[in-house]
Amino acid sequence: MAEELTLFKCINSVSERQRLFTTLLSSQGNLYLKDKFDRSLPLKAKSVDSRFYLTCISPAESEFTFGENETFTAVFWIDQEKYLFETRPHFVDGNLVLPVMTLFHLQKRRTFRYQVPHDFGSRFNISHLNKNTINVTCRMIDLSTQGCAVEVDQSAANLHLEDIMEAEICLGGRDPIIVQGVIKNIRAKDFQNLILGIEFHHMVHSSEEQIMLAISDLQRELFSRRAA
């Protein structure tokens, strides 16, 4: 069975933000600041203002350094639900202040089909078709841990339902993800291009994990672009 996928839901509602941080303060729960080395620093928030600047008790000892305009992530839990926000910490009167930039609710889903934006430079490179070596590059349309949809030029290869393929999924500058799959659907997009529905099989754990991480990263990147 596929593992759960973490989805990033952006929280823009002022009232929802107020509710979350009021609950965090009243519960006296910890939040955890993470740096680019994935080190974690536990913090205790003591107040939040109308701009959503969290004032925290400064840690007695820490290996962290806070450069000007350096972005960190902070995570906290409310009712067993995980939340994450981006922040640029700075000190004010001896306290560590965390301005809440983009705030996300990290939700779990068993299956989720992610629509891949055109400008992510995504590719689905078919290297073998029915054990024959080929070299066909397709555009990624959507992606899940169970399969994907791709767009391909009709003249690129002679494709049929139940054809078995090996391919690399390339998403932006990320490492290629090796998959095996079966063509389960073929339909014409226009006079030149086909849309293929591909179901993954014999998926190794590392590839499934890479897909989950890539989708989560892409969602976060997309939300950050929209919020910028």
Side-chain angles (χ1 to χ4, degrees), residues 185-200:
N185 183 268
I186 301 176
R187 64 179 176 86
K189 177 187 178 184
D190 49 39
F191 69 92
Q192 182 177 354
N193 297 302
L194 298 173
I195 304 296
L196 307 181
I198 299 167
E199 179 183 291
F200 299 148

Side-chain angles (χ1 to χ4, degrees), residues 71-74 84-88 99-104 220 224:
T71 302
F72 293 72
T73 58
L84 175 149
F85 63 88
E86 295 175 316
T87 185
R88 290 176 181 156
V100 178
M101 297 161 60
T102 311
L103 174 64
F104 301 100
R220 182 178 169 190
S224 297

Side-chain angles (χ1 to χ4, degrees), residues 66-99:
F66 302 105
E68 186 176 358
N69 294 325
E70 186 174 357
T71 302
F72 293 72
T73 58
V75 296
F76 61 95
W77 284 262
I78 293 178
D79 296 329
Q80 298 184 335
E81 294 290 320
K82 186 177 181 180
Y83 298 86
L84 175 149
F85 63 88
E86 295 175 316
T87 185
R88 290 176 181 156
H90 57 274
F91 287 97
V92 176
D93 297 330
N95 294 310
L96 187 61
V97 176
L98 309 180

Side-chain angles (χ1 to χ4, degrees), residues 135-136 152-159 191-194:
N135 183 15
V136 175
V152 61
D153 191 300
Q154 293 192 41
S155 63
N158 188 18
L159 301 167
F191 69 92
Q192 182 177 354
N193 297 302
L194 298 173

